[in-house]
Amino acid sequence: MVKCVSILGATGSIGRQSLDIIRHLGLEVGALTAGSNVARMAQQCREFRPKLAVMATREAAEQLREALNDPEISVAWGEEGLLEAAALPEADCVITAVVGMLGLKPTLAAIRQKKRIGLANKETLVCAGELVMAEARAYGAEIIPVDSEHSAIFQCLLGAGEKRAVRRLILTCSGGPFFGMDREALSKVTKADALRHPNWRMGQKITIDCATLMNKGLEVIEAMHLYGVPAEQVDVLIHRQSIVHSMVEFVDGAVMAQLGVADMRLPIQLAMTYPQREECVVERLDLTACAGLTFSRPDMEAFPCLALARQCAARGGNACAAMNGANEEAVRLFLEEKIGFTDIYDRVAQAVAAVPYISAPSLEDILRTDALARRAVSEKP
Ligand code: NAD
Ligand code: MG
């Protein structure tokens, strides 16, 4: 089990649930970072006493310093602060719970300090999976997935032996709030409709990604990098109940699955306790109450983001970084109610086509690709 944990994005959905587990396991806290929520960050600092607290802006950091008035907690801000938090020597584990490719540089910084990464921030692997995994191998840093599907696969693979024994990974997908709808009906849904996820309470960006099924596309790419398999070996099945969190099919036909209630605190805790398991605060699964588990193929026509993600995964290079950056920007515009729901796919697909292809991108190429893709989405007439 790890001893001291830093959290990037402590005030968000994953961040708060991580602190629940830290409290439950009695672990220490190294650094906490947040965007702009000074009040919640101040409360978290008073309870968990981190060495370092980081806010996104100088103004927010000054407000936090004033609110805390505590010489034992250093306060920093901006990208530099986030990097300092990721590399803080006291912590042996970093939970990456910020949203978007903003998490990339701090994740690399934590890897270079050989920290265990509890990886929630999937956009990092989507943009720069090859670079991140290569750095993790070079520095011997463990990456333990927090995303529920990837944690399920991680658990199904424990003790599985050789990689060639795996026939395919099967990611389950709730289908989101718009399951069963066609493109025509989808063009009329609102932001409020899209934010009503049937099974999970999460941050706004991932909730919209679940509604477009882009989230599952990002997860196919995340799985490729985490488990070193091509996209064709990562299948997706709609499973409305969110009880089976994902599966692995082996060459002999055996299928392993991990089941549980829909509560992120289980994968979060495992990322901190692995290779041990400990008692957890989550509700137990009552199998008699979840009879009638169903599985079906996703509708790739109504939800073309999933097909687009597969195309980008097959293209490789900077294609996934372009798609991710464009998607972050399109989701932002949708949340600001500047574009409609089906415009998200249209804008992302156009941006992916517009950004020049690079077959073996460096970190700088990826950052540039991200900026170009965002611009292609926001500047579209
Ligand atoms: P969220 O929006 O609830 O939280 C995001 C956190 O990042 C907040 O603490 C926010 O203050 C912080 N932040 C925002 N801007 C920042 C900046 N400029 N600098 C530093 N910090 C900043 O998001 P979430 O739902 O917790 O998701 C976090 C990540 O985990 C995402 O990548 C998401 O895809 C992934 N994930 C989330 C869930 C879930 O259940 N919420 C499940 C699987 C994966
Ligand atoms: Mg997931």
Side-chain angles (χ1 to χ4, degrees):
M1 189 172 354
V2 301
K3 291 193 179 65
C4 178
V5 181
S6 292
I7 304 177
L8 311 180
T11 55
S13 160
I14 294 289
R16 278 175 286 150
Q17 296 182 82
S18 300
L19 286 169
D20 269 359
I21 294 300
I22 287 172
R23 185 189 295 115
H24 163 68
L25 295 173
L27 302 176
E28 280 170 47
V29 171
L32 295 178
T33 89
S36 55
N37 192 338
V38 173
R40 184 172 279 158
M41 179 64 141
Q43 207 180 353
Q44 293 181 342
C45 286
R46 285 188 201 104
E47 179 179 353
F48 292 96
R49 318 273 323 139
K51 309 275 175 302
L52 172 66
V54 180
M55 302 299 299
T57 64
R58 184 201 292 258
E59 292 80 350
E62 264 156 25
Q63 286 168 20
L64 179 69
R65 197 174 285 127
E66 219 166 277
L68 289 176
N69 188 25
D70 185 339
E72 286 176 18
I73 302 178
S74 316
V75 177
W77 60 277
E79 185 179 271
E80 217 171 292
L82 203 53
L83 292 172
E84 190 186 341
L88 191 84
E90 284 84 351
D92 52 354
C93 173
V94 175
I95 304 291
T96 62
V98 290
V99 181
M101 88 94 79
L102 166 80
L104 176 55
K105 285 194 206 164
T107 302
L108 288 170
I111 286 173
R112 289 171 187 151
Q113 296 303 314
K114 302 184 170 42
K115 311 237 183 255
R116 171 180 294 188
I117 311 294
L119 188 115
N121 178 234
K122 64 189 84 184
E123 293 91 344
T124 289
L125 279 189
V126 171
C127 293
E130 277 93 6
L131 288 178
V132 170
M133 297 309 289
E135 288 290 274
R137 275 191 299 274
Y139 286 87
E142 290 173 294
I143 299 186
I144 314 278
V146 163
D147 210 347
S148 57
E149 296 77 3
H150 305 75
S151 175
I153 290 170
F154 178 81
Q155 295 175 63
C156 293
L157 288 173
L158 290 176
E162 276 186 74
K163 204 166 83 185
R164 60 170 194 83
V166 172
R167 181 154 180 272
R168 59 179 178 143
L169 309 178
I170 306 166
L171 298 178
T172 54
C173 172
S174 73
F178 305 139
F179 173 73
M181 287 169 75
D182 62 15
R183 280 302 275 164
E184 168 62 24
L186 286 171
S187 67
K188 301 192 183 81
V189 303
T190 65
K191 169 181 163 183
D193 298 332
L195 285 174
R196 232 173 273 126
H197 194 283
N199 303 350
W200 298 93
R201 294 284 149 270
M202 307 175 286
Q204 291 202 335
K205 194 264 178 179
I206 184 173
T207 304
I208 302 304
D209 286 344
C210 287
T212 60
L213 257 55
M214 178 58 95
N215 183 54
K216 214 45 58 175
L218 300 177
E219 290 185 352
V220 167
I221 300 164
E222 184 185 9
M224 287 169 55
H225 292 298
L226 282 171
Y227 302 111
V229 296
E232 311 83 76
Q233 246 176 298
V234 187
D235 228 337
V236 172
L237 287 181
I238 301 292
H239 168 52
R240 297 291 287 158
Q241 299 82 19
S242 296
I243 297 290
V244 175
H245 294 309
S246 278
M247 295 173 265
V248 176
E249 184 186 322
F250 292 91
V251 286
D252 57 3
V255 177
M256 302 285 285
Q258 186 250 324
L259 286 69
V261 295
D263 190 324
M264 290 305 295
R265 289 176 301 176
L266 196 147
I268 290 170
Q269 172 163 310
L270 186 66
M272 297 183 198
T273 64
Y274 177 79
Q276 279 100 41
R277 288 189 185 265
E278 296 288 336
E279 287 279 328
C280 192
V281 291
V282 309
E283 205 187 306
R284 305 260 141 196
L285 179 64
D286 175 2
L287 283 165
T288 61
C290 57
L293 301 181
T294 58
F295 301 92
S296 61
R297 297 258 156 229
D299 178 348
M300 305 279 262
E301 259 165 56
F303 298 94
C305 285
L306 180 53
L308 179 66
R310 283 197 177 280
Q311 285 157 22
C312 291
R315 261 187 112 196
N318 64 340
C320 294
M323 181 191 75
N324 180 73
N327 182 58
E328 287 191 32
E329 187 63 18
V331 171
R332 191 179 68 77
L333 293 176
F334 175 73
L335 286 170
E336 288 175 3
E337 300 185 290
K338 292 187 176 141
I339 64 172
F341 185 74
T342 47
D343 295 330
I344 297 175
Y345 167 77
D346 294 343
R347 296 232 179 179
V348 175
Q350 280 169 8
V352 167
V355 173
Y357 179 71
I358 304 171
S359 59
S362 65
L363 181 59
E364 283 63 42
D365 292 331
I366 284 165
L367 298 174
R368 211 169 311 121
T369 296
D370 177 76
L372 279 176
R374 284 172 199 261
R375 211 172 314 137
V377 168
S378 59
E379 286 175 2
K380 187 186 171 296

